Amino acid sequence: MVGKSTLYDVALKAGVSTGTVSHAFHHPELIKEDTKMKVLDAARELHYFPSGNARGLASGKTNAIGLFSFDMLISSPLWYVPKSNSDGVVEEPEISTFPLYVDEIEHGFELECKERDQALVLQALPNGKYESFVDSVGRVDGVALVEGFKPDIATIKALCDQRPVVLLSEPKSSYNALSIQVDNVAGTYALLDHLVLTHHVRDVAFLGTLDSPDSYERYNALMERAKRYDISVTHPSLGKWGASIDQAMAEARTFVEREDFPQAVVCVNDQLALSFMAVMRMLGRRIPEDVIVTGYDGILAGRFSSPKLTTVLQPSQAMGRLAARSLIERRGKPWGEPKFKLLPTKLVIGESCGCRRPSRPSMDRLVAADVSWFDSIKMRRGHNW
Amino acid sequence: MVGKSTLYDVALKAGVSTGTVSHAFHHPELIKEDTKMKVLDAARELHYFPSGNARGLASGKTNAIGLFSFDMLISSPLWYVPKSNSDGVVEEPEISTFPLYVDEIEHGFELECKERDQALVLQALPNGKYESFVDSVGRVDGVALVEGFKPDIATIKALCDQRPVVLLSEPKSSYNALSIQVDNVAGTYALLDHLVLTHHVRDVAFLGTLDSPDSYERYNALMERAKRYDISVTHPSLGKWGASIDQAMAEARTFVEREDFPQAVVCVNDQLALSFMAVMRMLGRRIPEDVIVTGYDGILAGRFSSPKLTTVLQPSQAMGRLAARSLIERRGKPWGEPKFKLLPTKLVIGESCGCRRPSRPSMDRLVAADVSWFDSIKMRRGHNW
DNA sequence: CTGTTAGCGCCTTCAG
DNA sequence: CTGAAGGCGCTAACAG
């Protein structure tokens, strides 16, 4: 009863051989309808759940693809912390979360898998932990690695020769993998063009550490474009910004008092931009009147911030979908050569750059704007409302 | 080079036996430091990735837990479709998504797995497809099933005797599984109390099909509580609401013209509530002036809708976390008896019930309200800003 | 059409 | 401390 039954049990019960049982599942056309039914019935009665491991081992594939990240993927969301109301009515017990950049990638990945009926294994690997990485890789037919991975380079390279690998947010490489990246350069150019041409910005600071390919590209592109307008770009250190809110306030205080405090602050991502805006506000500075702030990524929270964040939007979901699709289509076959795909970015004008928007986004716009919104809602529970 | 190397290759290269290699990985204390290093080096040089399947087969565990849903999990999000601006400035290329109820559950599940360094397999199963279900189960040591599953009852029951199973949004059952549900009754009571006592509602309609344990409970609780106040509850059919927006408009039109059109509409979930509000608005009705609308779940979109949605909030993330944690702690061992856990709900007052809020939620509140928001942001990229 | 059998890659006693 | 060997549950030839 409690014991798990195996293929042998099924064969025994059905009075056939194991080969036949296997055929009944995978090559039903090879056996008689009659015996097939016998087998299926037996399996059902025994509550037979085939072992995925044994299957995989025998057939040489795991039948699953992976999305691994070495850092904080799936992790800390952007909290929305409700304050208890002045009249005491509202006191929400659970904090809501805004999906971030990697969440969107992940979501796209999942959507694609779901639509293709693919199993997906998600794993967050402790950064730099060689063994866990090596371990996990053996569990999937192909894997997408999210930016931030820094295990042994040679290992990654070898992996690319053994199975299909997608490198997300990575520039063109010499690995036999598919690297997918967004067009940071075009996005940055568009951003600076807007700041300069529309808002007459003459000096900007780039905020954020250069610790990923994206951040490098963004910084470099900004420097590059700045030459064209002959404007200055500083890159002030954030110091202990991330240590605590007090530390961030301290850093911000020194920053605003510098005589080269800029007209515009280009943050390396939306999270930083949002927290920077918040801290500025706590210091009594207004945005965009006192300082213009922009971000990168286009996360949902930025559309509901006040002021609405001007940012360089990335097709994060599309990125995730593309990764999954590519992996699935390779069916375990590694790329024989380096591949590269550049996804477009798009400048999204908010209010934090000084533009005025007609109104705050509201759910009114949802339906009014596009019926597909409605269609998407109704899908969820199989039209059962 | 391209061939995947196995344990044998490593043994050969290290000049030891396969058993020793295995020991080097799993029982290093049993072998000499010296030979261990030899093995590890060999493995590294060969870029040896152990087969998860073989490991699992030999050790009898998959080392992963699953989150399965039989329907639309991970699926259609609530789109935010940006309209291109009147001044033509904004034309956002990608639609953003609001996470829904199941997304929050999933997120909690993932967070818990990540924190515990657990691999997680996600799979959306075609509803009622017995085989794919049976297939997928063999890939994990334990599984959480999201509401909406309707495969062979006996199969589920048998599964519960073989591995740990968590049933989400399911009432107490006789299965040897852990069922987790939210307190719909208390939530509904609180909701109706508020509507009656604060807004003097005398008649309400319950909107939504009764096709899940939660929906039944909500409806029943509403009926029950209504007795106490001696008010009437209708349950109008939504007809082809989900078919298209035109159909929904048509349904809504007949509904508003009924002479028993109620003061308040209690929708079975937030999505329905949001789309109902949208459709009402398209028909020229105001909310809450013309009709009060409420939902269930407490999804993020409802906090940014206009008017802000009054709803019965569920601790969805906590539910996901609890499921994952329970599964991990069982380590493949099935529950020997039915278990049940009831999670609390909380009435969240918005504006759609007629209450007035001091202000629209804005990102200002984020920091002002709670420093933990800041802390949560900074975590993301390992403090590297 | 069905049965037989040899692995798949690894782990784990059990000898040595 | 290390090597040898059986077996985990299933698939896929290959016979019959």
Side-chain angles (χ1 to χ4, degrees), chain B residues 35-298:
Chain B
T35 53
K36 192 186 84 183
M37 292 313 286
K38 247 187 347 200
V39 171
L40 261 32
D41 285 345
R44 198 150 201 146
E45 280 176 49
L46 288 174
H47 303 300
Y48 166 60
F49 296 100
S51 150
N53 283 326
R55 264 196 188 168
L57 183 55
S59 67
K61 4 185 258 180
T62 67
N63 220 18
I65 63 175
L67 178 62
F68 296 173
S69 69
F70 292 80
D71 206 347
M72 287 283 153
L73 173 71
I74 315 168
S75 167
S76 55
L78 200 54
W79 306 112
Y80 164 58
V81 184
K83 195 160 53 173
S84 52
N85 215 342
S86 50
D87 48 72
V89 174
V90 181
E91 191 199 352
E92 290 147 290
E94 188 172 297
I95 32 193
S96 280
T97 59
F98 278 102
L100 297 188
Y101 176 54
V102 283
D103 298 309
E104 299 269 5
I105 292 183
E106 191 196 320
H107 199 243
F109 200 91
E110 291 171 358
L111 282 175
E112 194 71 25
C113 286
K114 179 202 147 294
E115 282 163 21
R116 293 166 179 255
D117 217 352
Q118 249 287 334
L120 175 190
V121 5
L122 245 41
Q123 185 142 21
L125 274 352
N127 205 333
K129 197 107 180 292
Y130 176 84
E131 303 101 57
S132 2
F133 171 61
V134 162
D135 262 32
S136 318
V137 159
R139 316 179 41 79
V140 293
D141 291 330
V143 59
L145 303 177
V146 176
E147 167 207 30
F149 57 93
K150 281 150 195 128
D152 187 340
I153 297 287
T155 303
I156 298 274
K157 194 154 194 149
L159 178 63
C160 295
D161 291 330
Q162 299 186 19
R163 327 174 185 240
V165 175
V166 173
L167 272 12
L168 295 173
S169 291
E170 280 287 306
K172 201 163 196 137
S173 77
S174 63
Y175 301 173
N176 293 330
L178 168 64
S179 306
I180 306 180
Q181 201 180 23
V182 296
D183 194 346
N184 288 301
V185 176
T188 303
Y189 281 17
L191 174 63
L192 193 60
D193 290 350
H194 177 74
L195 292 181
V196 171
L197 302 178
T198 305
H199 300 290
H200 313 295
V201 166
R202 295 305 301 164
D203 59 330
V204 346
F206 181 87
L207 236 52
T209 34
L210 304 181
D211 58 356
S212 72
D214 276 342
S215 55
Y216 273 111
E217 287 201 359
R218 291 163 187 182
Y219 178 64
N220 290 334
L222 189 65
M223 296 295 283
E224 183 61 33
R225 195 63 162 187
K227 278 189 207 151
R228 170 172 177 161
Y229 296 114
D230 193 31
I231 67 177
S232 73
V233 177
T234 60
H235 183 201
S237 159
L238 248 28
K240 302 191 176 176
W241 183 271
S244 75
I245 190 147
D246 294 326
Q247 294 280 9
M249 293 282 283
E251 296 290 342
R253 236 174 242 120
T254 18
F255 183 36
V256 298
E257 273 158 19
R258 284 170 60 159
E259 62 178 26
D260 63 347
F261 186 72
Q263 276 178 275
V265 171
V266 173
C267 299
V268 73
N269 62 41
D270 286 351
Q271 283 154 269
L272 179 56
L274 289 173
S275 79
F276 182 72
M277 292 202 302
V279 169
M280 280 294 115
R281 237 167 359 232
M282 292 169 81
L283 291 180
R285 309 284 162 142
R286 290 159 310 156
I287 293 154
E289 294 82 350
D290 296 333
V291 56
I292 286 171
V293 178
T294 71
Y296 280 89
D297 289 352

Side-chain angles (χ1 to χ4, degrees), chain A residues 52 62 72 74 79 94 102 106 110 120 122 135 138-139 209 211 242 305 315 363 373 376 378 380 384-385, chain B residues 52 55 62 72 79 94 102 106 110-111 120 122 138-139 209 211 242 305 315 363 373 376 378 380 384:
Chain A
T62 67
M72 287 283 153
I74 314 169
W79 305 112
E94 188 171 300
V102 283
E106 191 196 318
E110 291 170 358
L120 176 189
L122 243 42
D135 260 35
R139 318 183 41 80
T209 34
D211 58 355
S305 66
M363 299 305 284
W373 170 73
S376 74
K378 77 165 195 247
R380 181 59 80 110
N384 291 334
W385 270 347
Chain B
R55 264 196 188 168
T62 67
M72 287 283 153
W79 306 112
E94 188 172 297
V102 283
E106 191 196 320
E110 291 171 358
L111 282 175
L120 175 190
L122 245 41
R139 316 179 41 79
T209 34
D211 58 356
S305 66
M363 301 303 284
W373 170 73
S376 74
K378 76 164 196 250
R380 182 57 80 109
N384 291 335

